[in-house]
Amino acid sequence: MSVTQTPPAPTTSRRLTTAKAIVEGIAQEMERDPGVVVIGEDVGAYGGIFSSTAGLLDRFGPDRVMDTPISESAFIGLGTGAAVEGMRPIVELMFADFFGVCMDQIYNHMAKIHFESGGHVTVPMVLMTAAGGGYSDGAQHSQCLWGTFAHLPGMKVVVPSNPADAKGLMISAIRDDNPVVYMFHKGAMGLPWMAKNPRSVGPVPEEAYETPIGRAAVAREGADVTIVTLSLSVQHALDVAEDMIGEGVDVEVVDLRSLVPLDRETVLTSVAKTGRLIVVDEDYRSYGVSGEIAAIVAEQDPALLRAPVQRVAVPDVPLPYARVLEDAVLPNRERIRAAVRRLTQA
Amino acid sequence: MSVTQTPPAPTTSRRLTTAKAIVEGIAQEMERDPGVVVIGEDVGAYGGIFSSTAGLLDRFGPDRVMDTPISESAFIGLGTGAAVEGMRPIVELMFADFFGVCMDQIYNHMAKIHFESGGHVTVPMVLMTAAGGGYSDGAQHSQCLWGTFAHLPGMKVVVPSNPADAKGLMISAIRDDNPVVYMFHKGAMGLPWMAKNPRSVGPVPEEAYETPIGRAAVAREGADVTIVTLSLSVQHALDVAEDMIGEGVDVEVVDLRSLVPLDRETVLTSVAKTGRLIVVDEDYRSYGVSGEIAAIVAEQDPALLRAPVQRVAVPDVPLPYARVLEDAVLPNRERIRAAVRRLTQA
Amino acid sequence: MDDKTRAELYRMMVLIRTYEEAILRDYHADKKPAFDIGAGLVPGEMHLSAGQEPVAAGVCAHLRQHDAVTAPHRPHHVAIAKGVDLERMTAEIFGRESGLGRGRGGHMHLFDPATHFSCSGIVGEGLPPALGQAFAFKRAGADAVAVAFAGEGAANAGVFHESLNLAALWNLPVIFVVEDNDWAISVPRRASTAIGNNADRAFAYGIPGARVEDNDVEAVYTTAGEAVARARAGEGPTLLEIHTLRLWGHFEGDPQAYRDDLDEVPGRDPIPRYEQHLLAEQVLTEDSIRQVRQEASARVEKAIEFAKQSPIPAPERAAEYVFA
Amino acid sequence: MDDKTRAELYRMMVLIRTYEEAILRDYHADKKPAFDIGAGLVPGEMHLSAGQEPVAAGVCAHLRQHDAVTAPHRPHHVAIAKGVDLERMTAEIFGRESGLGRGRGGHMHLFDPATHFSCSGIVGEGLPPALGQAFAFKRAGADAVAVAFAGEGAANAGVFHESLNLAALWNLPVIFVVEDNDWAISVPRRASTAIGNNADRAFAYGIPGARVEDNDVEAVYTTAGEAVARARAGEGPTLLEIHTLRLWGHFEGDPQAYRDDLDEVPGRDPIPRYEQHLLAEQVLTEDSIRQVRQEASARVEKAIEFAKQSPIPAPERAAEYVFA
Ligand SMILES: Cc1ncc(C[n+]2csc(CCOP(=O)(O)OP(=O)(O)O)c2C)c(N)n1
Ligand SMILES: Cc1ncc(C[n+]2csc(CCOP(=O)(O)OP(=O)(O)O)c2C)c(N)n1
Ligand SMILES: [Mg+2]
Ligand SMILES: [Mg+2]
């Protein structure tokens, strides 16, 4: 189901933060479809801890924007039941890190009902959640965990890296007849109270548009080395790519945008061109996104690779609190740059 | 901490099922250490739904073998707290599929306390759980999910494929000062009420011994192609390897035994020898074990691979109920054999 | 209670029992001589509801097609009482393409949009979706209600608490029905539940709670009627607990060695008891009983025949229906 | 209650407040002019407990070193009252190598084996580990107890229910303390909790429950004393709820625009009130108050100085301590 099939090129000069782009996408769909409601902790008067629902309560009232008790299983499951009956709920899980208290509703119910019903029941629901670290929030509030969601079948998983995609993917997610896990990185929201990359503010068309789920974007074309990455790390990768021009290295950056479905073609095309692959992922290194990206190349044709794959990810350690420690394990610009150098100077 | 450093070669002629080997390992440790207790649903009089605790109640009494309410978060967290105070609880989560109701206690607490405490607190606990399908138990009772556990840092993850390892890994897990997730495959337990491979019964030494966590086993040496696999799929892979002799193909089978820590060396050594890699995994295909194994080769040296990696896994679909459908998605002998042929005839 | 209703309750209980006996038969038929859980026409775990008919019959008698029901791992009695199509349900249990879920779901995963019925194999986790259905009904201005069934074992799961609190808080038209059959697999109620009466837990949410003793279908009917009426009138949720009976094992193949109440079980079977009662009250006659049984048997065997004749799903389509 | 105890309760409350004020100061010190959550000497989320001192002081006054305590995301008051080393705790909050967790944990993850103190940032999930500690104590034949603290928001999480039921069932020496500060971030109690008094939820588990109104430290002390004595005597768990006050924002940086009770907040500060009371009762004098404050200030500043002087962890060791 879709209203606008092709996303308009963002020719607009209007610039929004990622957070405001998300809210705009939600608001436009709420206008259009009375079945869209927003449910979660602090989504009302507070506007979402990371401003993902700011202003919606004032605009749509407490019947459509509902604060909940700290009962994630109950209210996510409520979203599922409402979706089964034809509504299109957007349910916020405040931090992805909290999935452990409600994952059964997510992966055994929301994600499996369509399949178990032989396709007879649909669950058109968005589970929105905040991911990522970089501001010393410790081991229970800084995780990305998208690999965990993407591993389990039946839910789409999207991971925008910039305001325009954030809006388009939100609209696509709401209109999708499947459950979509929408994971935004706190550090890419453009929040006034957190250090940010200027790339968290960008041009966003005013009208409603879809960004297709399952299609990666070549965020920057390059000839020498491919960085496949997602979410906030795309911003870092683009920064590094610009830096590397000075060193005569032409970096291509692939922004996955969606983990499920995964756009294998765009990854393989890029690697076929450059012969060198770096995967940058803020999730844990092992058994996750970085392994999967390396694997799709190895199972397509290992000969595409002129050098070993490099993974820049969190080295299987909980996120440490102290700034220097956290910085040491996150895939920051220095680590990405070092990987590019290793790969292009080898 | 260890009592027997080197596992004795199983020269014994005594044969046990995997289930009985597990129980024997637990019982020997309970004899040795009064801090070992068994906690879970139906672990007492019933003896564990998959016989993983059969007879322990009679032998050690209700103070050490305790049935619980259906309150997984509470009793797994109870295990963690008891471990922090120096006990060595073995807590059973009846099916790995139920992780969604209690994952927070597992991955945010059991697994992270040691790190968050800067190493000052240890959590010597075993979380035992049943995995796997093959008997039409449907989408919520047939999953392996070891990729999900292995992705998250702070817990070791072991996955025995045969009775001798099952006992040794259980003893190692109990003696380990870290949380160990012990995942047995129902189909490898040798239960009288489930179809089984004869490999689920095997020689098991009587004395207590450890099987080192973090070391893979070359379950069968071969020259032409490497199958890296784990748990029940090792049994299938060995069957296929024997079949393939007739076709003149010499298959090496690597039994991972432990996902965390992962024995990269054994995998790489084997692939360096054969130049051909098949990963067989009963977990979901994407973002999991099969990707990780392919990735470690791609990041070590893609030139080791004389042909593309083959993955035989569950194709990102919930486990279907109907036998023919389930069989079509499980990594059974036919699918493994086809992968070997694809790889060796190409 | 009028005689028609009583006869109807009886009829429903007999239909359910007849169904479960037929499944029992076909489930075990080809698992002999040695029981193999994965073998036969009906493979996998099988949780039958014999003995618990009064709960399903008494509650669902008040429900309309548009009302929603969620059931747990032991779902057949509830599905039948809610009016789920017997043929497509049976085909699902037999893993056939004509099943409710085209054979993908199986006995613990029956979804019927026509009657708003669903179930789940994860203990307690059927409650939140029922909240959502109630939420959708309320928002649509309909007077439909949702009923969530769960065992007494489930009443100790965290999701029970969250669901009752949220339902109470948002005044949702939902009825929680706890089927207390004394056992959660091998764990007796006294080893799982700190108090004697789960209906008392309603107090923790400021909603009405009531317990029906003795597996009494008429008491269930009356009590559930009040709860459904409250919900329809917009007065919010109710928690009911029914003391019922697990006549057979937890699942088929359960040796029940742990079970200390086995001796008294046959004497507690609710169907002969109700039958005797209705005979004595002249609501039923030997003839009408025979007719009820024959009709039940005919419907059930027709459903089973339908299932057996239905095509097995095509293996090459095993990976479909993941996404709409 | 004797004067010594009252003076001691006062002293503890002042120590806690002094501590929180100092953290407040140093947390914001270098986040100016624009607030940047990740910047400064103390980065990350910061949940301060000002206003909730009566709960920690009143409860922990009954605890010994070997008793265990688990606290939630807002842990400082409880840690201090439990006797956690102020210097190492502060060093942890400042992310230093000499911290309780060598800077790995941070303000929501303070672990002190010496005083059996721990905390967790996941709402409600500190309860089960407390059960386990109580379980270990009971099994060792010790009379030690465990106390689990949680906010009123946490009392709607499923894990609350599971933990109370299991503790009651196994008769564990554990005390559950709900700190009702009216708010769960921006969600007022009336929008989260279906009933007015969480202590009433004790009824659902057959254990005693009591609510203390008005943030009254002496009432907390008395009520907690009974609960701790019961637990020590092997009589099982108790649920307490204390109506307390969140004097500041949920976390630092919280604009509190949602908060409709802000006007009355200053007047409800428990410390001046108790101070006035003890002055009137001649338990304290202006002099002794000054002394208490000075001592608190000296201890706190020493701890902060210790933290600031402590080395920052070595980045090359960032991946250590995952496994023992
Ligand atoms: C969360 C979860 N834990 C454990 C199980 C395994 N299990 C299935 S049924 C059952 C017992 C349920 O008891 P009860 O709720 O009383 O229902 P009954 O079987 O008696 O109808 C258990 C423990 C499960 N399915 N889900
Ligand atoms: C399971 C879970 N859900 C949500 C959160 C986010 N969160 C942190 S504190 C908080 C409010 C807690 O309220 P309460 O329990 O009353 O404690 P208070 O903050 O008032 O001390 C929330 C929702 C969390 N940490 N864990
Ligand atoms: Mg039961
Ligand atoms: Mg609060």
Side-chain angles (χ1 to χ4, degrees), chain B:
Chain B
M1 173 197 156
S2 77
V3 172
T4 311
Q5 278 303 356
T6 334
T11 49
T12 178
S13 63
R14 192 186 61 135
R15 295 171 67 80
L16 296 182
T17 61
T18 300
K20 293 213 165 98
I22 292 175
V23 172
E24 185 169 277
I26 296 174
Q28 287 172 341
E29 290 304 291
M30 290 183 80
E31 291 287 3
R32 201 177 63 78
D33 181 347
V36 178
V37 293
V38 177
I39 295 170
E41 291 156 13
D42 306 286
V43 298
Y46 201 102
I49 295 302
F50 302 102
S51 297
S52 55
T53 61
L56 293 175
L57 175 66
D58 283 349
R59 197 151 150 209
F60 297 99
D63 272 1
R64 294 189 63 196
V65 183
M66 309 183 74
D67 279 335
T68 61
I70 305 171
S71 305
E72 286 85 357
S73 286
F75 70 74
I76 291 174
L78 183 148
T80 300
V84 162
E85 294 297 338
M87 297 185 70
R88 288 187 178 265
I90 301 168
V91 183
E92 183 168 271
L93 174 64
M94 190 189 287
F95 286 68
D97 311 67
F98 307 159
F99 86 93
V101 304
C102 53
M103 194 59 167
D104 189 73
Q105 282 299 323
I106 296 170
Y107 102 106
N108 261 339
H109 292 84
M110 181 187 85
K112 287 187 184 150
I113 286 175
H114 181 73
F115 178 82
E116 291 167 335
S117 75
H120 291 116
V121 178
T122 55
V123 185
M125 156 167 175
V126 180
L127 182 70
M128 170 160 69
T129 190
Y135 61 102
S136 283
D137 214 355
Q140 294 176 336
H141 288 74
S142 304
Q143 301 166 95
C144 287
L145 298 172
W146 32 60
T148 299
F149 287 88
H151 178 55
L152 300 165
M155 46 192 164
K156 298 187 176 180
V157 179
V158 299
V159 281
S161 72
N162 63 64
D165 283 353
K167 176 174 169 180
L169 285 171
M170 176 52 79
I171 292 177
S172 296
I174 297 170
R175 294 180 187 174
D176 202 297
D177 283 338
N178 297 289
V180 179
V181 180
Y182 184 102
M183 307 186 79
F184 63 79
H185 195 295
K186 296 160 236 172
M189 288 293 265
L191 300 171
W193 47 274
M194 204 180 276
K196 62 185 154 295
N197 192 306
R199 300 182 194 275
S200 296
V201 186
V204 178
E206 275 186 60
E207 71 278 17
Y209 60 92
E210 294 184 29
T211 298
I213 296 176
R215 241 184 279 159
V218 177
R220 183 183 192 281
E221 291 193 25
D224 298 333
V225 54
T226 298
I227 298 181
V228 173
T229 183
L230 65 161
S231 192
L232 179 67
S233 299
V234 174
Q235 302 188 357
H236 300 329
L238 289 170
D239 291 346
V240 170
E242 290 176 6
D243 291 355
M244 295 306 292
I245 297 173
E247 301 186 21
V249 178
D250 191 14
V251 177
E252 177 144 312
V253 177
V254 174
D255 177 355
L256 290 173
R257 298 202 293 194
S258 154
L259 291 176
V260 181
L262 177 65
D263 183 350
R264 287 182 166 69
E265 283 64 46
T266 300
V267 172
L268 292 170
T269 304
S270 179
V271 175
K273 178 171 71 171
T274 64
R276 292 187 181 85
L277 172 62
I278 298 170
V279 192
V280 179
D281 180 19
E282 198 184 310
D283 197 356
Y284 302 114
R285 172 188 177 98
S286 293
Y287 306 101
V289 172
S290 63
E292 183 63 23
I293 299 301
I296 63 177
V297 180
E299 71 181 345
Q300 172 71 21
D301 184 1
L304 295 179
L305 294 166
R306 278 186 265 159
V309 173
Q310 302 279 316
R311 295 201 265 177
V312 183
V314 174
D316 298 330
V317 61
L319 276 302
Y321 165 71
R323 188 181 299 117
V324 290
L325 296 176
E326 190 187 17
D327 209 41
V329 305
L330 288 178
N332 56 22
R333 293 186 196 80
E334 290 67 47
R335 289 181 62 207
I336 301 171
R337 203 177 291 122
V340 174
R341 290 197 184 121
R342 261 197 312 276
L343 210 48
T344 50
Q345 291 165 7

